[in-house]
Amino acid sequence: MSNAFRLYASYMVHISCFTGGIAQTNGYLVESSQGNFVVDAPEGFAAWVKKSGVMSVEALLLTHQHFDHCQDAAAVQKEFGAKVYSFAEFSRELTLEFLMGFVSGTRFEVAAFEVDEILEGRDEIEVAGLKWKLAHVPGHSLDSVTFYQGELGLWFGGDVLFEGGVGRTDFPNGSSALLMEGIKTKVLTLPDETRVLPGHGGETTVGDERVGNPFLTGL
């Protein structure tokens, strides 16, 4: 996915999506007139960003630390000097790499990275000249956090909400009740036209999911 530049007042933004790794995870490159940043870092993402010709990346926003979303976080940090924003410090309990190794029968390890900005307890950050509202939406993962920019109508949600689906809750510390309550109170309260840029699959909108997502019936 690559979207044409969108103009809001004097602010221009271009969003490109890379999909990689065994879970076909989305990583987003956001280029703007005020600076560049990325959202999540699946396997192969750092090389893709570099190949795109981008020379600087201000920040890496992690929606959560499951392995498929942060496999290239250390590489992005090293290659571009990007500040890493995450709900919690780097944790191998959060990455689920031990579970992945057990299931696959092979050694599996996420390269450690430094978290520069802890997001727990915060409701807003400023990145690339814009303020992003934060919402903690556990259920899929204890550390799931979403990023919303109302003026541009953008919502990066990781594995909270998908086109026609929601995040799975059968991982350790998963909770369907928590996830659905978070979606009801922190996602479906956003304007219908809000663009949903998920961790897997294609782009959608809050309005489309409100009326067409079978998992949200009755919310």
PDB file of all heavy atoms in Angstrom, residues 180-200:
ATOM      1  N   MET A 180     -12.554  -6.515  23.591  1.00  0.00           N
ATOM      2  CA  MET A 180     -13.809  -5.996  23.072  1.00  0.00           C
ATOM      3  C   MET A 180     -14.235  -4.722  23.794  1.00  0.00           C
ATOM      4  O   MET A 180     -14.785  -3.801  23.181  1.00  0.00           O
ATOM      5  CB  MET A 180     -14.894  -7.066  23.181  1.00  0.00           C
ATOM      6  CG  MET A 180     -14.587  -8.345  22.398  1.00  0.00           C
ATOM      7  SD  MET A 180     -14.072  -8.051  20.680  1.00  0.00           S
ATOM      8  CE  MET A 180     -15.614  -7.482  19.971  1.00  0.00           C
ATOM      9  N   GLU A 181     -13.968  -4.660  25.101  1.00  0.00           N
ATOM     10  CA  GLU A 181     -14.290  -3.438  25.841  1.00  0.00           C
ATOM     11  C   GLU A 181     -13.432  -2.279  25.342  1.00  0.00           C
ATOM     12  O   GLU A 181     -13.913  -1.150  25.202  1.00  0.00           O
ATOM     13  CB  GLU A 181     -14.065  -3.654  27.338  1.00  0.00           C
ATOM     14  CG  GLU A 181     -14.360  -2.432  28.194  1.00  0.00           C
ATOM     15  CD  GLU A 181     -15.820  -2.009  28.167  1.00  0.00           C
ATOM     16  OE1 GLU A 181     -16.679  -2.826  27.764  1.00  0.00           O
ATOM     17  OE2 GLU A 181     -16.103  -0.857  28.553  1.00  0.00           O
ATOM     18  N   GLY A 182     -12.171  -2.551  25.065  1.00  0.00           N
ATOM     19  CA  GLY A 182     -11.289  -1.509  24.543  1.00  0.00           C
ATOM     20  C   GLY A 182     -11.719  -1.026  23.174  1.00  0.00           C
ATOM     21  O   GLY A 182     -11.692   0.176  22.883  1.00  0.00           O
ATOM     22  N   ILE A 183     -12.102  -1.956  22.311  1.00  0.00           N
ATOM     23  CA  ILE A 183     -12.582  -1.566  20.984  1.00  0.00           C
ATOM     24  C   ILE A 183     -13.850  -0.721  21.099  1.00  0.00           C
ATOM     25  O   ILE A 183     -14.000   0.305  20.415  1.00  0.00           O
ATOM     26  CB  ILE A 183     -12.836  -2.822  20.122  1.00  0.00           C
ATOM     27  CG1 ILE A 183     -11.510  -3.511  19.784  1.00  0.00           C
ATOM     28  CG2 ILE A 183     -13.595  -2.456  18.850  1.00  0.00           C
ATOM     29  CD1 ILE A 183     -11.662  -4.840  19.071  1.00  0.00           C
ATOM     30  N   LYS A 184     -14.743  -1.132  21.983  1.00  0.00           N
ATOM     31  CA  LYS A 184     -16.016  -0.413  22.157  1.00  0.00           C
ATOM     32  C   LYS A 184     -15.796   1.008  22.652  1.00  0.00           C
ATOM     33  O   LYS A 184     -16.427   1.950  22.147  1.00  0.00           O
ATOM     34  CB  LYS A 184     -16.902  -1.180  23.128  1.00  0.00           C
ATOM     35  CG  LYS A 184     -18.226  -0.497  23.439  1.00  0.00           C
ATOM     36  CD  LYS A 184     -19.043  -1.313  24.436  1.00  0.00           C
ATOM     37  CE  LYS A 184     -20.345  -0.629  24.783  1.00  0.00           C
ATOM     38  NZ  LYS A 184     -21.153  -1.428  25.747  1.00  0.00           N
ATOM     39  N   THR A 185     -14.910   1.173  23.630  1.00  0.00           N
ATOM     40  CA  THR A 185     -14.777   2.476  24.295  1.00  0.00           C
ATOM     41  C   THR A 185     -13.673   3.363  23.728  1.00  0.00           C
ATOM     42  O   THR A 185     -13.707   4.584  23.915  1.00  0.00           O
ATOM     43  CB  THR A 185     -14.527   2.280  25.796  1.00  0.00           C
ATOM     44  OG1 THR A 185     -13.310   1.541  25.985  1.00  0.00           O
ATOM     45  CG2 THR A 185     -15.677   1.535  26.450  1.00  0.00           C
ATOM     46  N   LYS A 186     -12.717   2.765  23.014  1.00  0.00           N
ATOM     47  CA  LYS A 186     -11.557   3.549  22.574  1.00  0.00           C
ATOM     48  C   LYS A 186     -11.348   3.567  21.066  1.00  0.00           C
ATOM     49  O   LYS A 186     -10.517   4.328  20.578  1.00  0.00           O
ATOM     50  CB  LYS A 186     -10.291   3.040  23.271  1.00  0.00           C
ATOM     51  CG  LYS A 186     -10.365   3.167  24.784  1.00  0.00           C
ATOM     52  CD  LYS A 186      -9.145   2.571  25.459  1.00  0.00           C
ATOM     53  CE  LYS A 186      -9.246   2.685  26.977  1.00  0.00           C
ATOM     54  NZ  LYS A 186      -8.085   2.066  27.671  1.00  0.00           N
ATOM     55  N   VAL A 187     -12.083   2.732  20.349  1.00  0.00           N
ATOM     56  CA  VAL A 187     -11.947   2.706  18.890  1.00  0.00           C
ATOM     57  C   VAL A 187     -13.255   3.120  18.214  1.00  0.00           C
ATOM     58  O   VAL A 187     -13.271   4.020  17.366  1.00  0.00           O
ATOM     59  CB  VAL A 187     -11.509   1.313  18.394  1.00  0.00           C
ATOM     60  CG1 VAL A 187     -11.316   1.350  16.873  1.00  0.00           C
ATOM     61  CG2 VAL A 187     -10.228   0.859  19.083  1.00  0.00           C
ATOM     62  N   LEU A 188     -14.351   2.497  18.592  1.00  0.00           N
ATOM     63  CA  LEU A 188     -15.626   2.811  17.949  1.00  0.00           C
ATOM     64  C   LEU A 188     -16.152   4.186  18.322  1.00  0.00           C
ATOM     65  O   LEU A 188     -17.139   4.649  17.757  1.00  0.00           O
ATOM     66  CB  LEU A 188     -16.664   1.739  18.287  1.00  0.00           C
ATOM     67  CG  LEU A 188     -16.354   0.338  17.755  1.00  0.00           C
ATOM     68  CD1 LEU A 188     -17.492  -0.622  18.064  1.00  0.00           C
ATOM     69  CD2 LEU A 188     -16.068   0.362  16.253  1.00  0.00           C
ATOM     70  N   THR A 189     -15.488   4.852  19.244  1.00  0.00           N
ATOM     71  CA  THR A 189     -15.836   6.228  19.581  1.00  0.00           C
ATOM     72  C   THR A 189     -15.169   7.231  18.635  1.00  0.00           C
ATOM     73  O   THR A 189     -15.473   8.428  18.696  1.00  0.00           O
ATOM     74  CB  THR A 189     -15.407   6.536  21.024  1.00  0.00           C
ATOM     75  OG1 THR A 189     -14.030   6.164  21.196  1.00  0.00           O
ATOM     76  CG2 THR A 189     -16.256   5.773  22.027  1.00  0.00           C
ATOM     77  N   LEU A 190     -14.292   6.751  17.753  1.00  0.00           N
ATOM     78  CA  LEU A 190     -13.633   7.622  16.781  1.00  0.00           C
ATOM     79  C   LEU A 190     -14.576   7.877  15.601  1.00  0.00           C
ATOM     80  O   LEU A 190     -15.503   7.096  15.355  1.00  0.00           O
ATOM     81  CB  LEU A 190     -12.338   6.972  16.284  1.00  0.00           C
ATOM     82  CG  LEU A 190     -11.281   6.667  17.355  1.00  0.00           C
ATOM     83  CD1 LEU A 190     -10.094   5.942  16.717  1.00  0.00           C
ATOM     84  CD2 LEU A 190     -10.822   7.946  18.043  1.00  0.00           C
ATOM     85  N   PRO A 191     -14.353   8.944  14.843  1.00  0.00           N
ATOM     86  CA  PRO A 191     -15.212   9.232  13.689  1.00  0.00           C
ATOM     87  C   PRO A 191     -15.207   8.091  12.674  1.00  0.00           C
ATOM     88  O   PRO A 191     -14.194   7.418  12.477  1.00  0.00           O
ATOM     89  CB  PRO A 191     -14.577  10.502  13.091  1.00  0.00           C
ATOM     90  CG  PRO A 191     -13.869  11.146  14.239  1.00  0.00           C
ATOM     91  CD  PRO A 191     -13.351  10.022  15.079  1.00  0.00           C
ATOM     92  N   ASP A 192     -16.329   7.876  12.026  1.00  0.00           N
ATOM     93  CA  ASP A 192     -16.466   6.782  11.065  1.00  0.00           C
ATOM     94  C   ASP A 192     -15.431   6.854   9.950  1.00  0.00           C
ATOM     95  O   ASP A 192     -15.007   5.818   9.424  1.00  0.00           O
ATOM     96  CB  ASP A 192     -17.864   6.792  10.452  1.00  0.00           C
ATOM     97  CG  ASP A 192     -18.906   6.160  11.353  1.00  0.00           C
ATOM     98  OD1 ASP A 192     -18.522   5.530  12.361  1.00  0.00           O
ATOM     99  OD2 ASP A 192     -20.112   6.286  11.052  1.00  0.00           O
ATOM    100  N   GLU A 193     -15.038   8.056   9.544  1.00  0.00           N
ATOM    101  CA  GLU A 193     -14.126   8.201   8.411  1.00  0.00           C
ATOM    102  C   GLU A 193     -12.663   7.939   8.781  1.00  0.00           C
ATOM    103  O   GLU A 193     -11.778   7.955   7.912  1.00  0.00           O
ATOM    104  CB  GLU A 193     -14.248   9.593   7.792  1.00  0.00           C
ATOM    105  CG  GLU A 193     -13.856  10.735   8.715  1.00  0.00           C
ATOM    106  CD  GLU A 193     -15.004  11.264   9.560  1.00  0.00           C
ATOM    107  OE1 GLU A 193     -16.022  10.550   9.707  1.00  0.00           O
ATOM    108  OE2 GLU A 193     -14.878  12.407  10.050  1.00  0.00           O
ATOM    109  N   THR A 194     -12.396   7.681  10.046  1.00  0.00           N
ATOM    110  CA  THR A 194     -11.023   7.441  10.489  1.00  0.00           C
ATOM    111  C   THR A 194     -10.427   6.238   9.761  1.00  0.00           C
ATOM    112  O   THR A 194     -11.007   5.158   9.734  1.00  0.00           O
ATOM    113  CB  THR A 194     -10.979   7.172  12.008  1.00  0.00           C
ATOM    114  OG1 THR A 194     -11.538   8.300  12.691  1.00  0.00           O
ATOM    115  CG2 THR A 194      -9.558   6.947  12.481  1.00  0.00           C
ATOM    116  N   ARG A 195      -9.253   6.432   9.175  1.00  0.00           N
ATOM    117  CA  ARG A 195      -8.559   5.365   8.467  1.00  0.00           C
ATOM    118  C   ARG A 195      -7.897   4.429   9.476  1.00  0.00           C
ATOM    119  O   ARG A 195      -7.119   4.880  10.313  1.00  0.00           O
ATOM    120  CB  ARG A 195      -7.513   5.928   7.518  1.00  0.00           C
ATOM    121  CG  ARG A 195      -8.081   6.725   6.367  1.00  0.00           C
ATOM    122  CD  ARG A 195      -6.993   7.479   5.626  1.00  0.00           C
ATOM    123  NE  ARG A 195      -5.978   6.592   5.080  1.00  0.00           N
ATOM    124  CZ  ARG A 195      -4.806   7.019   4.608  1.00  0.00           C
ATOM    125  NH1 ARG A 195      -4.511   8.319   4.647  1.00  0.00           N
ATOM    126  NH2 ARG A 195      -3.937   6.157   4.113  1.00  0.00           N
ATOM    127  N   VAL A 196      -8.195   3.158   9.378  1.00  0.00           N
ATOM    128  CA  VAL A 196      -7.618   2.132  10.251  1.00  0.00           C
ATOM    129  C   VAL A 196      -6.461   1.475   9.510  1.00  0.00           C
ATOM    130  O   VAL A 196      -6.647   0.840   8.467  1.00  0.00           O
ATOM    131  CB  VAL A 196      -8.678   1.081  10.626  1.00  0.00           C
ATOM    132  CG1 VAL A 196      -8.040  -0.095  11.370  1.00  0.00           C
ATOM    133  CG2 VAL A 196      -9.777   1.720  11.470  1.00  0.00           C
ATOM    134  N   LEU A 197      -5.246   1.641  10.055  1.00  0.00           N
ATOM    135  CA  LEU A 197      -4.047   1.045   9.477  1.00  0.00           C
ATOM    136  C   LEU A 197      -3.591  -0.064  10.423  1.00  0.00           C
ATOM    137  O   LEU A 197      -2.928   0.193  11.420  1.00  0.00           O
ATOM    138  CB  LEU A 197      -2.970   2.117   9.299  1.00  0.00           C
ATOM    139  CG  LEU A 197      -3.395   3.271   8.378  1.00  0.00           C
ATOM    140  CD1 LEU A 197      -2.412   4.417   8.450  1.00  0.00           C
ATOM    141  CD2 LEU A 197      -3.521   2.771   6.946  1.00  0.00           C
ATOM    142  N   PRO A 198      -3.953  -1.307  10.122  1.00  0.00           N
ATOM    143  CA  PRO A 198      -3.776  -2.405  11.078  1.00  0.00           C
ATOM    144  C   PRO A 198      -2.433  -3.098  10.948  1.00  0.00           C
ATOM    145  O   PRO A 198      -1.672  -2.877   9.991  1.00  0.00           O
ATOM    146  CB  PRO A 198      -4.910  -3.351  10.693  1.00  0.00           C
ATOM    147  CG  PRO A 198      -5.002  -3.188   9.206  1.00  0.00           C
ATOM    148  CD  PRO A 198      -4.708  -1.727   8.931  1.00  0.00           C
ATOM    149  N   GLY A 199      -2.175  -3.993  11.907  1.00  0.00           N
ATOM    150  CA  GLY A 199      -0.927  -4.737  11.910  1.00  0.00           C
ATOM    151  C   GLY A 199      -0.883  -5.863  10.899  1.00  0.00           C
ATOM    152  O   GLY A 199       0.195  -6.372  10.576  1.00  0.00           O
ATOM    153  N   HIS A 200      -2.030  -6.277  10.391  1.00  0.00           N
ATOM    154  CA  HIS A 200      -2.114  -7.338   9.388  1.00  0.00           C
ATOM    155  C   HIS A 200      -3.278  -7.021   8.464  1.00  0.00           C
ATOM    156  O   HIS A 200      -4.291  -6.465   8.890  1.00  0.00           O
ATOM    157  CB  HIS A 200      -2.343  -8.707  10.032  1.00  0.00           C
ATOM    158  CG  HIS A 200      -1.310  -9.088  11.039  1.00  0.00           C
ATOM    159  ND1 HIS A 200      -0.134  -9.723  10.706  1.00  0.00           N
ATOM    160  CD2 HIS A 200      -1.265  -8.901  12.384  1.00  0.00           C
ATOM    161  CE1 HIS A 200       0.589  -9.921  11.804  1.00  0.00           C
ATOM    162  NE2 HIS A 200      -0.080  -9.427  12.835  1.00  0.00           N
TER     163      HIS A 200
END
